[in-house]
Each structure stands twice: as structure tokens, then as C-alpha cells.
Amino acid sequence: MPELPEVETVRTAIDTAATGDTITAVAASGKKMRWPIPHDISRQITGGVFTSVRRRGKYILADIKMPVKETVMLIHLGMSGSIRIYPDQKDAGEAGLHDHLAIDLASGKRLVLNDPRRFGGVDLIDPKNEAGHPLLHRMGIEPLGNRLDGAFLTTAFKGKAMAIKTALLDQRIIAGIGNIYASEALFLAGVHPARKAGRISLGRCEKLADAIRQVLHAAIKAGGTSLRDHVQPGGEIGYFIQELNVYGREGEACTRCAKPIRMTRQTGRATYYCPQCQR
DNA sequence: CTCCTGACCTGAGTGC
DNA sequence: TGCACTCAGGTCAGGA
């Protein structure tokens, strides 16, 4: 499912539901995801209190305060991960086939992580070394922070021969953009996805920086993009699919010039664009 | 270094 | 109905 807007939607839901609440029970499926869930996760976090829920790129970082120490639960949703929040544990039923982690709270709520493809993962990390964690220490800037602008992009892309679309997916440059929003941002900026990253002018990089911010903010506001069966933690779908200009619209009319949207493949992944509006 | 390919998984959809 | 095949919101190791 999840790029930055979907992860942010999930983060907000967990924060609202769980911050201040105490963990009373933890159950893990035992199946290996991208890496194994820590075998002693129940022992490590039961009795802890969620103090805040943050996001870094596509990672969710939940701060948990234990009686004698603090830990951070890191969650990545991969391609197919989602989290459901049940208001009452009694109504949650048995663990489903692809449920990998269930966390019960003193309030009666239950958080359930479901991930059919198991490309996601859960880890517990030491907050003192969080920035140095192998999964986090090479991550690029937050696109919704104050560092994304045309100057940053021209510097980051300098000398890069790869296509701009591919560069936008590189989490070491900007953290959080995925396959949908890379196509959408390039459309808004009027930049052709195959253009070499290192050959984009400062002015067009400024437009691109604005486009990235714009599309991510708009998607968060809409609750993310629901493709297939993805839903938010409360079961609501995200409505940004109605605002997509190019993604998944091959052959349909461009919203700006009415020419047919094209699909191509770049490093194995589908890219959608308007050949008229994007140069 | 840079960049691309293939691998990791399951499930939905398509065409025969 | 069954089967073979393709594709999907991500990332990482390995090799050219």
C-alpha cells in the first residue's frame, strides 16, 4: 500500500488511538516478514506506554516508555501492509491468515498489523541510537520538512545519469516518495519522467520541489490513495485516487490537455505521464 | 562509486 | 473450472 501519505495517515490514526495507552498484551504470528519480528517483542514492550508516534520516510516510529527504559517500535508496511485499529478487543476475532502482530491496550483497543506479502517489517530499536540504525541512517530528507527546494534537488541530482523518476524513488535522496507520487509530482511539475536527473535546471527543480510538496499534502488531506483493498486503520478508504492525474490512467485523457496518458517501464516499474505536458 | 536486475512474497486479474 | 501468466503502493544484495 504505502507511500508517505498513506504511512502518515496510519501514523496519525495510531497516535490518536494509542498515545497515552498502556500495552497489556502482544501476539506475533512468528512468520518471517522482511526480517523476523523480535522473538521477545512481547516481553520487551508489554507494560509499556505509547508516548508518541512519529514517521520517518515510510517508517512509523512509535515511542514506548517502559518502567526502566524506553524503546522505539519501528514499523514498515512494505507493499501490502496495513494496520487495523479495533475499538474493542472482544470484537477483533481470531487472528487472520496474514495478521503478524496484535497489540492490546488497557483501554480495550487492539492494533493489528496485516501484511499478505510480508515485505514489511517490525523492529525494536534503542532511541539513543535511532539515527544510526541501519534502516534509517542513510535516509534522505523529509519532503515535507524545510530542506526540500530547487537548490537541494540540483545538488542531489548533480552528475546523475539515471532518469528523474527513478531518482525520486531513491529513499537516500528524498524519503517517502513511491511509485504513485513520483509519477504525479512529475506531471504537476511538467517534467518528463525519462529526463536525466542531472540535467534538470534549477528553475525546473524548484517547480518539482513545489510539486512534490503539493501532491503529498493533498494526498494526506484526502486520507491517502486506496488501490485495490487498502484501507485506513479505521476501515475508511483514502480518496486521493480521485485526484490522480496520471497514475493508473494509461490511455485516458490528460486532465490538462486531453491527450492520452502513456505508460512506460523504468527499472522494472510502471511510470505514467503525459507526453504533451511533460518535457 | 553508479546503476540495473532479480529476489523476496501473496493475491487479483486476464486470457486461453 | 482450471491453469499459466502478469502485475501490484518497496527494498536490498549482487554484479556489470
Side-chain angles (χ1 to χ4, degrees), chain A residues 245-257:
Chain A
N245 285 295
V246 288
Y247 187 87
R249 299 190 63 241
E250 183 182 15
E252 296 177 33
C254 172
T255 53
R256 189 178 287 161
C257 75

Side-chain angles (χ1 to χ4, degrees), chain A residues 5-211:
Chain A
E6 293 75 36
V7 176
E8 178 63 17
T9 301
V10 172
R11 183 205 68 75
T12 302
I14 300 174
D15 193 22
T16 302
T19 293
D21 220 333
T22 301
I23 297 168
T24 55
V26 179
S29 68
K31 286 183 193 158
K32 191 184 161 197
M33 301 180 68
R34 177 156 266 287
W35 61 86
I37 295 175
H39 69 280
D40 60 347
I41 188 168
S42 178
R43 184 184 64 71
Q44 284 210 61
I45 66 172
T46 298
V49 178
F50 283 108
T51 55
S52 54
V53 184
R54 297 170 290 126
R55 179 189 55 71
R56 179 78 174 95
K58 299 174 193 172
Y59 291 94
I60 292 166
L61 301 168
D63 297 301
I64 299 171
K65 184 168 176 51
M66 303 294 295
V68 295
K69 62 161 190 167
E70 297 187 6
T71 189
V72 177
M73 181 168 61
L74 171 154
I75 301 171
H76 195 288
L77 298 173
M79 289 275 265
S80 59
S82 62
I83 285 175
R84 291 298 298 266
I85 300 171
Y86 296 90
D88 195 323
Q89 290 146 210
K90 292 195 298 293
D91 302 329
E94 296 290 300
L97 178 59
H98 300 300
D99 291 344
H100 301 297
L101 188 66
I103 297 175
D104 286 351
L105 302 174
S107 63
K109 292 172 189 149
R110 174 175 291 173
L111 314 182
V112 178
L113 170 65
N114 179 278
D115 186 357
R117 295 178 73 180
R118 286 184 271 134
F119 286 174
V122 177
D123 202 3
L124 295 174
I125 67 184
D126 180 350
K128 293 187 194 67
N129 302 326
E130 178 181 302
H133 190 278
L135 292 169
L136 302 177
H137 86 289
R138 286 193 168 155
M139 291 190 66
I141 64 165
E142 283 293 323
L144 299 182
N146 56 16
R147 293 181 56 196
L148 176 63
D149 58 20
F152 173 86
L153 291 182
T154 49
T155 303
F157 294 152
K158 189 169 184 179
K160 286 208 175 295
M162 64 166 54
I164 180 63
K165 154 61 159 46
T166 306
L168 288 180
L169 294 179
D170 186 343
Q171 304 297 299
R172 296 168 302 182
I173 301 173
I174 305 171
I177 299 174
N179 209 38
I180 297 175
Y181 301 108
S183 282
E184 293 296 317
L186 288 168
F187 173 81
L188 290 182
V191 175
H192 195 287
R195 183 166 289 276
K196 302 214 180 302
R199 297 238 205 110
I200 300 177
S201 69
L202 176 59
R204 304 195 82 205
C205 278
E206 283 168 354
K207 284 193 76 169
L208 183 53
D210 287 344

